[in-house]
Amino acid sequence: MPFLEKNNLSIVRKKGALPPLPYEALYKEILGKEYALTVVFCSPEESQARNKVYRNKDYPTNILSFPLSETEGEIYISLSTARRDAKKFEMPYVQFLHLLLIHGCLHLKGYDHGSTMDTLEQTYLKKFFRDSK
């Protein structure tokens, strides 16, 4: 059951408050308002299980993106894994969460890792993290 549902955006968090992210504005800008996006905040165990099944990698990851169609997708974020990884990227936790959501949306949009995706991530991070402070 969604914790928050608004238009074509559903956010699922089983316990605790939602992280302070500009979910709707960010996803609409990157994916468009007609895109149906579900963001699931999951445990490291669930992240690891999905990572093993879908990517054949047996460890928890901070984010996984699953395009379901051209106009629908899911993003899974493990908050505890993201908190740990934020330190590796020398980034404050909330800023790193912004980057992860942007990263996931760009994958759903069809971008692969590389310089174009890196540039777009930084552009969107500057816009949305600044606006959320």
Side-chain angles (χ1 to χ4, degrees):
M1 179 178 204
F3 191 84
L4 171 71
E5 194 161 16
K6 191 170 185 183
N7 301 321
N8 285 336
L9 173 65
S10 295
I11 302 172
V12 179
R13 172 113 165 101
K14 293 180 180 154
K15 62 180 181 177
L18 287 176
L21 300 171
Y23 301 97
E24 187 174 15
L26 198 152
Y27 110 87
K28 280 183 178 179
E29 174 131 350
I30 297 173
L31 297 168
K33 65 181 181 179
E34 300 304 317
Y35 196 92
L37 176 64
T38 300
V39 179
V40 179
F41 291 100
C42 64
S43 68
E45 295 78 17
E46 184 176 358
S47 168
Q48 182 170 353
R50 288 181 182 279
N51 203 19
K52 187 172 184 178
V53 169
Y54 295 104
R55 298 178 65 227
N56 202 28
K57 298 183 184 216
D58 193 15
Y59 55 85
T61 185
N62 50 41
I63 187 166
L64 291 166
S65 301
F66 298 101
L68 304 176
S69 72
E70 288 185 18
T71 59
E72 184 178 8
E74 297 176 337
I75 293 174
Y76 288 77
I77 298 174
S78 168
L79 292 175
S80 58
T81 307
R83 186 176 296 279
R84 180 197 70 208
D85 290 351
K87 294 173 187 170
K88 292 179 188 176
F89 285 84
E90 299 178 350
M91 194 177 287
Y93 173 62
V94 173
Q95 182 180 12
F96 189 63
L97 289 177
H98 279 73
L99 179 62
L100 289 178
L101 187 58
I102 291 164
H103 184 85
C105 286
L106 288 171
H107 273 310
L108 294 176
K109 185 77 173 178
Y111 289 96
D112 290 324
H113 295 159
S115 60
T116 300
M117 188 171 184
D118 291 344
T119 299
L120 287 169
E121 285 175 344
Q122 291 310 309
T123 299
Y124 287 123
L125 186 62
K126 285 177 187 169
K127 177 177 183 175
F128 288 104
F129 185 64
R130 181 195 71 231
D131 289 349
S132 70
K133 290 183 179 178

